[in-house]
């Protein structure tokens, strides 16, 4: 029997049941193949979406995270100091024996310089009645500011201030020196309540601490007699400046007198409060060669 015939015979011998079994095996084989194909495809898909290796990073788009900026702190402004609205009123003091303001009699050409033409001036170093002699001494430019002690230290404009003091030897014009009228003058305060006098550093005579006299009037019309003054007082000179100036040429007498006095023992300044002594002492800077600049703020109880 041929091989071909044998094969046909074998097929014929299995019958219908064998054919169905063969078909079932074929169907299961296809399902298994499809399952394997699906599994392989899913794995490939997962591998394509995954990214855990450095090689995968080359195809991954990085996400840039923009940091949120920290808010810039707003600086707290430094508070502007509030200017003080208080000031110390000057103590009333004696006008002394040499005022030439009409309250006593001088031995010179007049007993009241406030009525004499020429007394209103800023530079008081020279005589203006008869003589034109200039008093020798270390120059001082002295600015006085007049304020209302009862009204927040407001500037007092239009007030008249009469200033006088001794020369470097401790002598007063019109009294000790009858022919001279220097180191005396009157000025009216400006809108800032200020006047500026050019004078010399006064000397120190026995029995008194170095000082400068002044009187304040509400206006020039009232500055015709010391009896109408709203304030009669004195300025004290700074001790350090006195020590320096009195050691210079021309102040030998003052140097010896200054050694035996102090502001605390002075019969005018000694009974004032510490606050009054402080404000009544002129602020002063400079030197003997170039002269000194001085300032003082006068509190007037209106």
């Amino acid at each position: 029997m041929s091989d071909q015939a044998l094969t046909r015979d074998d097929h014929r011998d299995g019958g219908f049941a064998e054919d169905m079994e063969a078909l079932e095996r074929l169907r299961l084989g296809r399902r298994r193949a499809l399952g394997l194909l699906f599994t392989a495809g899913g794995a490939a898909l997962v591998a394509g979406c995954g990214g855990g290796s450095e090689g995968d990073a080359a195809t991954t788009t990085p996400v840039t995270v923009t940091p949120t900026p920290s808010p810039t702190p707003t600086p707290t402004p430094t508070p502007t100091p509030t200017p003080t609205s208080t000031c110390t009123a000057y103590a009333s003091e004696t006008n002394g024996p040499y005022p030439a303001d009409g309250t006593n009699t001088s031995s010179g050409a007049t007993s009241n310089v406030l009525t004499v033409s020429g007394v209103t001036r800023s530079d008081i170093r020279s005589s203006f009645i008869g003589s034109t002699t200039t008093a020798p001494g270390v120059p001082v430019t002295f600015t006085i500011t007049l304020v209302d002690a009862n009204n927040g230290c407001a500037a007092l404009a239009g007030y008249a201030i009469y200033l006088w003091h001794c020369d470097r030897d401790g002598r007063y014009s019109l009294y000790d020196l009858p022919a001279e009228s220097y180191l005396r003058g009157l000025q009216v305060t400006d809108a800032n309540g200020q006047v500026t006098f050019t004078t010399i550093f006064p000397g120190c005579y026995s029995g008194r601490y170095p000082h400068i006299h002044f009187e304040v009037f509400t206006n020039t019309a009232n500055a015709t007699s010391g009896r109408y003054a709203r304030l009669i007082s004195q300025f004290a000179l700074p001790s350090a400046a006195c020590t320096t100036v009195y050691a210079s040429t021309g102040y030998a007498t003052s140097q010896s007198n200054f050694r035996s006095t102090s502001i605390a023992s002075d019969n005018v300044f000694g009974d004032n409060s510490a606050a009054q002594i402080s404000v009544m002492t002129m602020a002063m800077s400079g030197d003997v060669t170039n002269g000194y600049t001085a300032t003082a703020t006068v509190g007037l109880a209106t």
Side-chain angles (χ1 to χ4, degrees), residues 188-214:
V188 177
T189 58
D190 62 16
N192 297 314
Q194 293 183 331
V195 295
T196 298
F197 289 97
T198 300
T199 186
I200 65 163
F201 203 102
C204 178
Y205 53 88
S206 180
R208 280 301 317 275
Y209 184 84
H211 60 281
I212 292 177
H213 294 267
F214 72 99

Side-chain angles (χ1 to χ4, degrees), residues 63-79:
V63 178
T64 303
V65 180
T66 303
T68 303
S70 300
T72 302
T74 302
T76 302
T78 302

Side-chain angles (χ1 to χ4, degrees), residues 30-48:
R30 289 178 177 175
R31 290 180 62 185
R32 187 177 297 112
L34 289 173
L36 292 173
L37 179 61
F38 176 78
T39 302
L45 181 61
V46 171

Side-chain angles (χ1 to χ4, degrees), residues 154-238:
L156 291 174
Y159 279 64
I161 297 179
Y162 169 46
L163 189 83
W164 75 96
H165 61 82
C166 67
D167 66 7
R168 68 180 182 181
D169 295 318
R171 300 172 300 180
Y172 284 87
S173 66
L174 297 175
Y175 294 88
D176 302 311
L177 301 168
E180 306 300 342
S181 53
Y182 51 49
L183 307 181
R184 300 178 184 274
L186 179 77
Q187 283 197 77
V188 177
T189 58
D190 62 16
N192 297 314
Q194 293 183 331
V195 295
T196 298
F197 289 97
T198 300
T199 186
I200 65 163
F201 203 102
C204 178
Y205 53 88
S206 180
R208 280 301 317 275
Y209 184 84
H211 60 281
I212 292 177
H213 294 267
F214 72 99
E215 295 177 347
V216 178
F217 303 88
T218 55
N219 52 55
T220 54
N222 286 334
T224 57
S225 171
R227 304 182 195 282
Y228 294 108
R230 289 298 307 273
L231 174 66
I232 300 173
S233 193
Q234 300 179 26
F235 298 108
L237 278 82

Side-chain angles (χ1 to χ4, degrees), residues 66-136:
T66 303
T68 303
S70 300
T72 302
T74 302
T76 302
T78 302
T80 302
T82 303
T84 179
S85 59
T86 61
C87 49
T88 302
Y90 268 46
S92 294
E93 307 290 6
T94 177
N95 61 357
Y98 315 109
D101 61 358
T103 59
N104 68 3
T105 301
S106 77
S107 55
T110 180
S111 295
N112 189 356
V113 296
L114 297 175
T115 62
V116 177
S117 176
V119 70
T120 301
R121 59 195 186 138
S122 60
D123 191 334
I124 63 174
R125 291 176 293 180
S126 298
S127 292
F128 63 100
I129 302 174
S131 171
T132 57
T133 302
T134 298

